[in-house]
Amino acid sequence: MMTRRLILIEGVPGSGKSTVAQMVSEILKGQGKKVQLFQEGNLDHPADYEGVAFYDAGDFEVLLKKHEEYREVLESNATAYGDGFLIPYRKMREQWGIELPDHIVQDIRYLRNFF
């Protein structure tokens, strides 16, 4: 059985959180542990929901119809999740370089559902 551990490091800006996190990561790796370090702002962070929208299937279709010219881009980058779709709009723009106009991103952000 695999045991997972989560270590969170919090503090005020400039207090050394990143430095401590890096040191903890290196110590654990030195002990032979498998470590994944996610710094704030990392778009691959497994709990980063700031840049991800959830649409149920019906609302997703409404979004696609409203922005028909971006249907293929939205469909190809959305991930099926339960009865709907996750749209990683922040990652699409910042990491993958997909050109999404601001008005579409605004629609995705403000018309989204939360799960």
Side-chain angles (χ1 to χ4, degrees):
M1 179 159 88
M2 180 183 225
T3 303
R4 297 187 183 267
R5 303 270 190 249
L6 173 66
I7 299 171
L8 299 174
I9 299 174
E10 296 186 13
V12 297
S15 63
K17 298 178 299 294
S18 296
T19 302
V20 170
Q22 187 63 47
M23 289 171 48
V24 169
S25 174
E26 291 172 12
I27 290 168
L28 293 172
K29 285 179 184 177
Q31 294 175 354
K33 305 221 185 316
K34 183 178 177 187
V35 175
Q36 287 183 289
L37 175 62
F38 293 100
Q39 301 279 352
E40 185 174 353
N42 182 333
L43 295 178
D44 291 322
H45 192 294
D48 179 20
Y49 295 110
E50 177 64 28
V52 179
F54 175 78
Y55 279 79
D56 65 35
D59 289 339
F60 186 59
E61 188 57 37
V62 169
L63 179 73
L64 295 175
K65 285 181 181 176
K66 182 174 181 180
H67 300 291
E68 189 67 42
E69 69 277 19
Y70 283 88
R71 174 181 282 273
E72 185 178 326
V73 170
L74 293 170
E75 284 180 327
S76 65
N77 289 285
T79 302
Y81 183 83
D83 293 333
F85 296 89
L86 295 170
I87 306 171
Y89 61 89
R90 187 170 158 216
K91 188 180 277 191
M92 288 169 67
R93 286 182 105 182
E94 295 178 19
Q95 192 173 58
W96 301 335
I98 296 171
E99 297 292 329
L100 284 177
D102 288 339
H103 71 280
I104 294 176
V105 172
Q106 293 303 318
D107 277 357
I108 292 170
R109 289 179 65 195
Y110 296 112
L111 299 177
R112 71 184 177 177
N113 298 308
F114 297 95
F115 60 103

